Amino acid sequence: MQHEEDAGVDVEIAVHGATLRVVFPDGAWTIALPDGWSPQSSDEHDLWRWELTGVAQARVRLRRRPHIQLELDVVNQSDDVVVLEAPVVSLLSEGTQVPWFAGAAGEVLHVSPASSVLWVQLRGSCAGEGRAFSVVPEPLSLRPGQGSSAAWRRRELPIATLVPEPAWVPRQRYFRRGESLEVFHTDAALMGLGLEITATVDGSSVEGRPGLHDLAFLDARGTALVEVGWFDPLEDIVASCLALPGLDPNLMAWLFASTDVDEPTLDALDVALGEALEAPTFWGVLAGMRAVTLTDLPVASEVVRAARAVWRDDLDPHARRLLLTHGLLSGWEPPLVGEWLHSAGPIPFTDAQTVLASVGHGRVTSAPVVHGGMDVALAGMWLAAQPESAAAAEWERAVAVSRSRLMCALSQAPNAVDVAWLVVEGLLG
């Protein structure tokens, strides 16, 4: 193992057979060639070689100046066309990692309490899921003498700073149902399964069904994929959740209470709330608080009892924040809310970096939607407490992107808990 420091970055390097591991202070790259590759000697510093006997050679180079950069090259040295397994690459780090493996474009952002680093693909073709991916086409088909090359560059960022996506990526990618994505371009063709793409004077207009879709940009660099989407109005998604079988009565009561409470809804709320208050959760208490404030349902005493029980038994800080916020904003039972304030102690909001990480920094990504409604709602509530600033405006945009992306996913596959939290943000944020 080598341990060296250059250009202010401490690097550890380990080679085990056909696997190279390069460890930086903020993360580690592991490049693993498939079975059959054997290491070869190299007389160059920061250059490692392998050979697939009689077939191909591979090399990895670490550049330290003027930027930290990792490069991988594979060359067919035979007289025949060969089809090879691509090396498997992983980039591991502590904290949050946001990957975008999009073919001709690629980025990986990883953020920890101590650092924020963006790796950008300069050349190659990346694909994969999670933390394991390929940086060259897979499978790798090479003609005699042909090579395939990939290069990724490391960029350090200020903590809690949002770095913009490449200029060609649409800044807004998620839309209300019926709206159009306008893409301004002159040198790229667009394709997308299930998308309606119409040429315009300056580029293309794209429309799609509610849900998430891949939009392919085809140009001289190759094909790069950008996720786009459309979402239904929140009230339509709420209605879809209320139609789900086996819905928890507490969630059902909250979703009914969050809608315009007309006479049919009032009857449904009365039934759901009666069942919820027999075994209440904070969702049922929230529904009861809203029902007492906005309707004539005679459930005030039952809601107070349920609220005391949930506050006593449910120590989750997010649930407590929700009950306190709702109680204060609605003016519900001031003596009880005063007791809560006295007993709760401080429930501090977290820092900007943690909030941004909880919603994936609002960045373009190829990963599935992993943030939930609670993440978006709490981030929105945190933003509401921040003073106006340029940074806060960018944070607000990141949260808005994550909210819209989640709504696209929920338009395809409604989840009552996620929707309940989004409703909370809409009513209390």
Side-chain angles (χ1 to χ4, degrees), residues 12 60 62 81 99 101 129 153 162 179 188 195 204 218 250 267 292 305 309 318 321 336 350 399 413:
E12 292 184 2
V60 174
L62 169 64
V81 173
F101 304 131
E129 297 181 1
R153 179 174 293 174
L162 295 175
E179 294 181 343
L195 298 177
S204 299
L218 291 75
N250 287 271
D267 292 340
V292 170
R305 283 196 297 271
H318 303 316
R321 182 186 300 281
L336 180 56
T350 187
V399 174

Side-chain angles (χ1 to χ4, degrees), residues 44-191:
E44 290 189 51
H45 184 58
D46 288 339
L47 179 70
W48 300 270
R49 300 177 184 273
W50 294 266
E51 183 179 35
L52 190 60
T53 305
V55 178
Q57 283 196 346
R59 69 178 186 178
V60 174
R61 183 188 296 275
L62 169 64
R63 297 191 186 274
R64 300 173 184 262
R65 289 187 174 92
H67 307 282
I68 294 289
Q69 190 165 303
L70 277 169
E71 302 173 355
L72 168 69
D73 299 286
V74 181
V75 179
N76 178 5
Q77 292 195 315
S78 75
D79 295 327
D80 302 308
V81 173
V82 296
V83 179
L84 305 173
E85 287 185 62
V88 177
V89 179
S90 62
L91 175 53
L92 302 179
S93 61
E94 296 182 358
T96 301
Q97 192 158 297
V98 185
W100 180 40
F101 304 131
E107 295 182 353
V108 179
L109 173 71
H110 59 84
V111 180
S112 70
S115 67
S116 183
V117 171
L118 181 69
W119 284 91
V120 179
Q121 176 180 265
L122 302 182
R123 62 178 181 268
S125 180
C126 58
E129 297 181 1
R131 295 174 184 253
F133 57 104
S134 59
V135 295
V136 293
E138 186 178 16
L140 185 57
S141 178
L142 300 174
R143 299 186 303 273
Q146 184 185 16
S148 185
S149 179
W152 285 71
R153 179 174 293 174
R154 178 181 181 273
R155 176 184 173 190
E156 291 190 23
L157 307 171
I159 299 294
T161 296
L162 295 175
V163 59
E165 292 98 356
W168 60 270
V169 174
R171 185 168 173 83
Q172 184 177 358
R173 299 182 293 278
Y174 308 104
F175 299 85
R176 293 178 178 86
R177 183 182 64 204
E179 294 181 343
S180 298
L181 163 61
E182 302 298 330
V183 181
F184 301 100
H185 61 90
T186 57
D187 58 354
L190 303 185
M191 296 181 62

